[in-house]
Amino acid sequence: MNQSYKGSIERVTYHNPENGYTIARLAVEGERDLVTIVGAIASIQEGESVEVEGEWANHPKYGKQFKVENYKPVYPSTLEGIQKYLGSGLIKGVGAVSAKRIVAHFGAETLEIIDADPQRLAEVPRLGKKRVELIAEAWGDQRQIKDVMVFLQSHGITTGYAVKIFKQYGQESIQKVRSNPYRLEREISGIGFRIADRIAQELGLGHEAPERVQAGIRYLLDQAADDGHVYLPAVEMMERAKEILEISAELLPPALEALRADDGVVTEDLHYYLPPLHRSEVGTTSSLKRLMQDAAEVLPIGEEEEDGLELAPTQKQAVALVATSKVMVLTGGPGTGKTTVTRRILHLLEEGGQKVALCSPTGRASKRLSEASGREAKTIHRMLEFQPAERQFKKGRDDRLEIDALIVDEASMIDVALMNALLRALPDMARLILVGDVDQLPSVGPGNVLRDIIDSGEVPVVRLTQIFRQAEESHIVHNAHRINDGQMPIIDNSSSSDFYFIEAAEPGRVVELVEDLCAARLPRHGGWDPLRDIQVLSPMYRGETGALNLNQRLQQRLNPEGRPYSHRGNELRVGDKVMQIKNNYDKGVFNGDMGIIDRLDAEKQVLWVQFDDIVEYDQADLDELMLAYAISTHRSQGSEFPVVVLPLTTQHYVMLQRNLLYTAITRAKKMVVIVGTKKALKLAIENDEVARRYTTLKERLRGEVGEVLEAGKVRLPDAVPTPTIVD
């Protein structure tokens, strides 16, 4: 239950101006002992009087602390308090001596007089005109900061977000928030549509206000992009608007028209796009056509094989295709020799005098490509020289890569925006070889690029299907292909196997077995390191056998003594396995990178994580980290682990899909252990329905979309069809 206290700030122990995080000592009225307060506070000075609202917490090292959720400044009422407040350094131009003279002259009305008519300070002896002007200006600045914070908090904005808003807008905060609170979801990190919508309602903005409808449309398109869609069709837009925004259909056309005119949305054939995604899809199409419009220089294919391996006919076809094609796709499942063919392609290109670059979408994948090829491989971001400050790539249409050929591995992971950036940077005469397993899950970001390129029929494709002798000995490889073909895996739980199935029907028992496998059985019998070798992959985050619950159980089992740190109800501990869940170009860590928490400073709320290098995180960055003893299969893309443990129960019913199961199994290099029921396994294998993504890359490559118009030039339909909804 929240409590509130009034008092004066005796000491500021720590203040981070970036996020407002503050540790201070508060002298509470009527209390003998000082209170330690912690939380986000925009501006605070020793001597300042405040009222804080929040709740008590017991820190394991520092004892009782009052966690501030909201605060507001209050003026002191005693002469001593007023003098201390003025002389604290809060007001530029007022020191301890001048504060004493000001209070001596005006008495208890000091602050009211300064507030209403600061020029009256000229009445105080030995305060010159310049000093009076300086004090008046400084008082006005401080007053505005306080007014802004009080306004924001009075309208349901938490202190942490209020700090961010003030840092972004400064003295214009009140005006900007009042004029259009929905701008917050576009301009303030962490404030999405839901929070902005709540603030708007607090300010009295109507449910059907044009600003809300326009912001709601952007929100629907953002949500669609999070689900992998490049656009939303009109009918689905209508359905989502009715369900999520709770608005009627007739409000959409004028809002779409306003957004279209302001380059906030692109309309095309009753499809609605966010402009960056429309540009990305159009740009990817344009770049592929640009690369393919000129004939390739034919490269000679040597007879000698530098690795002594005889290629299979389809593999030879892939190498021959590279010798004559500007763009090609090489796809295939595990054990089909993609790596061997990639090495042979690299050799052919280099023998032909081509300057070749190699890249992958993730750091882990680029390291594997480098090891497999014996050449340097970079992440796409590094190769394109991403500039964190500008949030854009240095390499592009006006500064292209100086290469003759590019080999891109794990191409199924590349979303439409990243593919557009990559292709823009390729010279007209460069060759492009896309390598990836198209049967895996598509990219986390919007689009289904590799699948669309293949299905378009406009780009030469070689699909490897033959499993080679060494890979045939692996039950993982063999069963992955069986699953991909819709067949149940062959279960052989003998000691020589690398693919195991443990039957368990009850979710609670599944959790116990997963925990025991990671903490005891696999380390004891196989020598596997629970943190570095074993990875639990779950189809879902929620539920008893979901990643969230498994993370808590495994954290307690594998790292019970780690020094704890609480953040938004979640506990991180020194020694925990964690994953970065969004790209942070300033820190040089990216979505999917895994590390171990190395140490923490609980007082300053900073911790350090060991990735390849040690990276520092303060409180504002911690939302980018999650426990990673267990992760979703989607988040495992592009990674490989020695051992994969996969809980599979009918609790996961909505996510039991063939390509998800196939992706999870192919993440394992040495061993797979499935824990669950054969019914769930059978359901997943039989469900070959790939979740549809709304994209038009395939149609654009085929020339079926028609003339592509610039954003803001496409006619909005006179009438949007109303969907037929069957109860």
Side-chain angles (χ1 to χ4, degrees), residues 53 69-73 146-159 162 165 174 177-178 198-204:
E53 180 184 340
E69 295 179 7
N70 288 300
Y71 82 99
K72 63 181 179 181
K146 309 306 179 192
D147 288 347
V148 167
M149 298 307 292
V150 169
F151 167 80
L152 294 174
Q153 292 180 37
S154 69
H155 288 290
I157 302 174
T158 64
T159 304
I165 292 168
I174 294 176
V177 173
R178 274 194 189 281
R198 192 185 71 230
I199 295 167
Q201 302 309 306
E202 284 272 346
L203 290 169

Side-chain angles (χ1 to χ4, degrees), residues 314-319 321-322 327-333 336-345 407-412 432-438 450 453-454 459-465:
T314 311
Q315 293 179 312
K316 288 181 179 178
Q317 179 190 346
V319 176
L321 196 56
V322 170
V327 180
M328 71 158 287
V329 173
L330 175 67
T331 187
T336 58
K338 289 196 305 294
T339 301
T340 299
V341 175
T342 301
R343 279 199 300 261
R344 203 63 67 83
I345 287 171
I407 298 175
V408 185
D409 197 20
E410 295 285 0
S412 64
L432 173 67
I433 299 95
L434 299 173
V435 183
D437 186 348
V438 74
L450 187 63
I453 290 173
I454 291 173
V459 176
V461 178
V462 174
R463 179 158 194 154
L464 304 177
T465 56

Side-chain angles (χ1 to χ4, degrees), residues 546-556 626-630:
L548 292 176
N549 183 53
L550 288 169
N551 267 319
Q552 292 180 352
R553 292 285 294 261
L554 289 168
Q555 180 192 52
Q556 191 56 34
M626 61 173 284
L627 287 175
Y629 298 101

Side-chain angles (χ1 to χ4, degrees), residues 106-414:
F106 292 120
E109 296 180 341
T110 296
L111 298 180
E112 287 80 358
I113 289 170
I114 297 175
D115 213 23
D117 188 5
Q119 296 305 318
R120 284 192 61 190
L121 289 167
E123 300 173 13
V124 179
R126 286 182 286 178
L127 275 187
K129 185 178 179 181
K130 286 188 177 178
R131 175 84 71 87
V132 169
E133 295 296 335
L134 183 66
I135 295 170
E137 183 181 352
W139 180 268
D141 289 344
Q142 284 296 323
R143 176 62 186 269
Q144 283 184 303
I145 292 173
K146 309 306 179 192
D147 288 347
V148 167
M149 298 307 292
V150 169
F151 167 80
L152 294 174
Q153 292 180 37
S154 69
H155 288 290
I157 302 174
T158 64
T159 304
Y161 286 133
V163 170
K164 287 186 176 183
I165 292 168
F166 184 78
K167 190 174 177 222
Q168 174 77 14
Y169 302 136
Q171 311 297 355
E172 296 182 329
S173 297
I174 294 176
Q175 174 196 340
K176 287 186 178 293
V177 173
R178 274 194 189 281
S179 64
N180 184 6
Y182 292 104
R183 70 188 307 150
L184 299 176
E185 52 104 7
R186 304 193 308 277
E187 298 173 1
I188 305 296
S189 172
I191 296 186
F193 173 78
R194 294 294 191 191
I195 295 174
D197 196 35
R198 192 185 71 230
I199 295 167
Q201 302 309 306
E202 284 272 346
L203 290 169
L205 207 65
H207 198 68
E208 297 185 347
E211 298 93 336
R212 181 177 189 270
V213 181
Q214 290 174 38
I217 289 170
R218 284 193 302 268
Y219 171 67
L220 294 178
L221 291 174
D222 280 334
Q223 292 289 100
D226 288 344
D227 293 335
H229 302 301
V230 176
Y231 71 88
L232 274 182
V235 170
E236 185 147 346
M237 174 77 83
M238 300 294 300
E239 291 172 345
R240 293 191 182 203
K242 181 180 178 181
E243 178 186 352
I244 298 172
L245 303 179
E246 298 177 334
I247 57 175
S248 57
E250 57 267 20
L251 295 175
L252 285 182
L256 285 163
E257 176 65 37
L259 285 169
R260 179 201 61 74
D262 196 33
D263 196 23
V265 69
V266 174
T267 63
E268 183 181 271
D269 298 333
L270 292 180
H271 296 165
Y272 303 107
Y273 301 77
L274 290 171
L277 293 182
H278 185 265
R279 288 193 292 269
S280 293
E281 198 172 77
V282 170
T284 298
T285 305
S286 176
S287 292
L288 284 170
K289 290 185 175 182
R290 170 176 60 85
L291 291 171
M292 293 188 293
Q293 70 183 1
D294 294 323
E297 174 193 352
V298 178
L299 300 176
I301 302 176
E303 294 296 323
E304 302 224 350
E305 309 295 358
E306 78 281 2
D307 51 15
L309 294 175
E310 176 68 23
L311 296 183
T314 311
Q315 293 179 312
K316 288 181 179 178
Q317 179 190 346
V319 176
L321 196 56
V322 170
T324 59
S325 300
K326 288 287 298 300
V327 180
M328 71 158 287
V329 173
L330 175 67
T331 187
T336 58
K338 289 196 305 294
T339 301
T340 299
V341 175
T342 301
R343 279 199 300 261
R344 203 63 67 83
I345 287 171
L346 176 60
H347 179 73
L348 167 70
L349 293 168
E350 290 179 337
E351 286 292 301
Q354 304 279 290
K355 183 180 179 182
V356 187
L358 297 93
C359 68
S360 286
T362 68
R364 285 171 172 257
S366 64
K367 284 177 189 174
R368 290 203 316 274
L369 179 59
S370 200
E371 291 165 0
S373 65
R375 305 288 190 278
E376 181 187 24
K378 299 179 180 180
T379 63
I380 296 173
H381 283 81
R382 185 177 162 211
M383 187 179 68
L384 298 182
E385 300 178 31
F386 187 80
Q387 311 293 300
E390 292 82 21
R391 290 292 190 269
Q392 61 186 14
F393 297 104
K394 181 181 177 184
K395 294 296 181 183
R397 185 174 55 195
D398 299 324
D399 182 12
R400 288 185 168 145
L401 297 164
E402 296 179 0
I403 59 174
D404 301 307
L406 178 65
I407 298 175
V408 185
D409 197 20
E410 295 285 0
S412 64
M413 292 183 62
I414 304 176

Side-chain angles (χ1 to χ4, degrees), residues 476 640-644 663-672:
I476 295 173
E640 282 187 349
F641 312 98
V643 180
V644 165
T663 300
I665 288 170
T666 56
R667 298 308 86 208
K669 292 192 291 187
K670 300 291 186 182
M671 184 184 297
V672 169

